[in-house]
Amino acid sequence: MITLSSASNALKTLYLGVITEQMNTAVNPLLAKIKQSTSDVWGKEIKRLAQHGVNGGVGAGTETGALPAAGGNNYDTFTLSLKNLYGTIEISDKAIRASENNAGAFVNLLNAEMEGLIKSATYNFGRMLYGDGTGVLAKVVSVDGTTITCDSVKNIVEGMTVDIRSSSGALLAASSARRVLAVDKTEKTVEFDGDDFNTATVKGDCLITVQGSYGQEITGLGAIFKSSGSIYGLSRTLNKWLVPYMKSSVGAISETVIQTAIDTLEEDAGSRVNFIVCSSGVKRAFMNHLATYKRNTDVMNLAGGFKAISYNGIPIVSDRFCPEGTMYLLNTDDFTLHQLCDWQWLEGDDGKILKQIPGTPTYTATLVKYADLICAKPCGQGMLTGITEA
């Protein structure tokens, strides 16, 4: 007979390992390439020593002359707060009771919930990898009733619950926890539930963010590829090695453009690019370029079951969340997802994983991971923007 206790045990013993593997490798081809580690986590923070430059104790001299003066490695400390990442499933009491005498039916129920969790994680954690940690999905262009025209709707999908904030990030009255009802990809409009927006406060340059997540998401590529401000608690102005290679207004993509970026990263930073990710339009443009010169498009198999086209043995992967007209050239060996622990179920004092939502006939279980992403060598990464898409 299926009970809440046996259901909790199944989630803990049968599903946790499988769901952890899926969340870590099947969410995104880039995430699958990034190593995960519990090192350098101190309490609620990540503190990692980052080496830059070269050792200064090397030199040449005469047979009887003085030896080179010692010069140790250059180190700085990266500091980040661990972000709280959650994945939640819900099961109704009716569904549990309907399958309490049918183990097969209950397994199918849990399988469906796990698949839904993976799908949600694929969307949200994949999006975070390309964000800047703020949780901003889009900027408001104009408002008409409950419809908002945005600068982009790439990161917005029906069913999301979002907050509308001022350009400075302040939460606006009567604009929090609004549910997305419809998204028009062509017109870049989003229809919300609730009352009409107050156009005196909700206006151009306001921010649309995931509910309750403003400033709480992982430090993705959007935070790394900047030339000013600070990152990991250090100033880019005072530490030029924190500034990646960035080339704008590229136009037509070609092997020469890509190779120039790769050569620059190797010559200036000693970095070897091993992973390239771009938007779908950029990938199509590159494939058109290869076809124009009658070159074969080689295909590679990656970890997690993903496929990629190849450039001189380097995989090129398209990602739905990569900004339009953009290509990232990365050395994934420099990236680490530092975590307090791997995915775990939140447990109550009684050890139960499934808990009733107060006032509802529904039970919920939540997976949690405390983690954030650090790139040990930002100057070894490259970004091409303004690429003409196909």
Side-chain angles (χ1 to χ4, degrees):
M1 181 175 178
I2 302 299
T3 64
L4 285 177
S5 179
S6 62
S8 289
N9 287 335
L11 289 175
K12 185 186 300 184
T13 60
L14 299 178
Y15 284 92
L16 182 58
V18 175
I19 199 72
T20 297
E21 178 69 16
Q22 291 288 307
M23 297 273 269
N24 288 338
T25 62
V27 166
N28 183 282
L30 175 56
L31 183 61
K33 283 282 291 182
I34 295 173
K35 59 181 175 288
Q36 303 185 27
S37 173
T38 57
S39 64
D40 301 314
V41 176
W42 305 89
K44 297 181 179 180
E45 289 186 329
I46 305 165
K47 288 188 175 292
R48 173 171 176 169
L49 281 179
Q51 180 184 347
H52 57 95
V54 297
N55 189 296
V58 177
T62 64
E63 183 177 354
T64 58
L67 295 173
N73 297 328
N74 295 318
Y75 291 102
D76 276 299
T77 301
F78 287 167
T79 303
L80 274 181
S81 296
L82 289 167
K83 303 303 190 302
N84 310 318
L85 307 178
Y86 300 108
T88 302
I89 64 170
E90 289 185 2
I91 303 176
S92 71
D93 179 67
K94 183 178 181 180
I96 293 176
R97 292 182 186 276
S99 58
E100 63 182 1
N101 294 316
N102 188 334
F106 187 72
V107 168
N108 290 337
L109 174 64
L110 286 184
N111 285 342
E113 289 297 325
M114 293 301 111
E115 289 173 4
L117 180 59
I118 291 293
K119 183 177 180 180
S120 178
T122 299
Y123 189 89
N124 285 290
F125 300 144
R127 174 185 57 77
M128 288 185 197
L129 280 177
Y130 296 91
D132 60 2
T134 62
V136 174
L137 303 174
K139 288 186 178 180
V140 175
V141 174
S142 62
V143 181
D144 182 10
T146 58
T147 301
I148 292 180
T149 301
C150 307
D151 63 339
S152 171
V153 293
K154 179 188 288 287
N155 295 327
I156 303 176
V157 68
E158 290 85 352
M160 294 181 75
T161 303
V162 303
D163 297 329
I164 313 297
R165 296 176 176 269
S166 69
S167 57
S168 62
L171 188 61
L172 300 177
S175 300
S176 63
R178 299 291 288 263
R179 195 80 185 269
V180 176
L181 300 180
V183 179
D184 188 321
K185 300 289 186 182
T186 303
E187 299 296 328
K188 297 183 180 180
T189 60
V190 182
E191 179 71 24
F192 292 91
D193 68 354
D195 299 328
D196 289 353
F197 289 107
N198 181 353
T199 55
T201 56
V202 181
K203 52 190 177 181
D205 285 338
C206 282
L207 310 176
I208 300 177
T209 67
V210 178
Q211 61 167 340
S213 299
Y214 184 70
Q216 303 300 319
E217 296 191 346
I218 64 174
T219 309
L221 297 182
I224 295 170
F225 285 92
K226 294 181 179 180
S227 58
S228 60
S230 61
I231 187 171
Y232 310 138
L234 300 175
S235 167
R236 290 187 178 91
T237 302
L238 301 177
N239 299 276
K240 296 300 184 182
W241 62 278
L242 294 175
V243 179
Y245 170 88
M246 293 178 284
K247 180 175 177 59
S248 59
S249 304
V250 170
I253 190 66
S254 68
E255 293 164 295
T256 301
V257 171
I258 296 174
Q259 192 60 49
T260 298
I262 291 174
D263 290 344
T264 301
L265 289 169
E266 184 171 350
E267 292 168 4
D268 293 352
S271 181
R272 294 185 179 274
V273 172
N274 64 5
F275 196 84
I276 299 174
V277 61
C278 59
S279 65
S280 297
V282 170
K283 185 177 77 170
R284 290 192 298 269
F286 183 65
M287 293 175 71
N288 285 345
H289 167 76
L290 295 178
T292 299
Y293 293 95
K294 302 188 184 305
R295 302 205 180 134
N296 294 328
T297 302
D298 296 325
V299 177
M300 304 172 64
N301 293 316
L302 305 180
F306 300 103
K307 291 185 180 294
I309 62 174
S310 172
Y311 169 75
N312 287 344
I314 302 172
I316 299 179
V317 174
S318 62
D319 194 291
R320 65 187 296 185
F321 297 111
C322 185
E324 294 178 0
T326 300
M327 174 179 281
Y328 293 106
L329 301 100
L330 309 173
N331 182 347
T332 57
D333 294 339
D334 293 329
F335 289 81
T336 303
L337 187 69
H338 293 275
Q339 57 192 28
L340 185 61
C341 61
D342 212 339
W343 291 101
Q344 298 288 337
W345 292 109
L346 285 179
E347 297 184 26
D349 294 336
D350 55 2
K352 290 183 178 179
I353 294 172
L354 280 168
K355 310 175 192 66
Q356 184 181 1
I357 300 175
T360 71
T362 304
Y363 296 89
T364 183
T366 302
L367 279 169
V368 64
K369 175 188 278 194
Y370 306 105
D372 206 347
L373 181 66
I374 283 184
C375 174
K377 194 174 184 179
C379 64
Q381 320 306 321
M383 179 176 71
L384 307 175
T385 58
I387 301 171
T388 302
E389 296 197 334

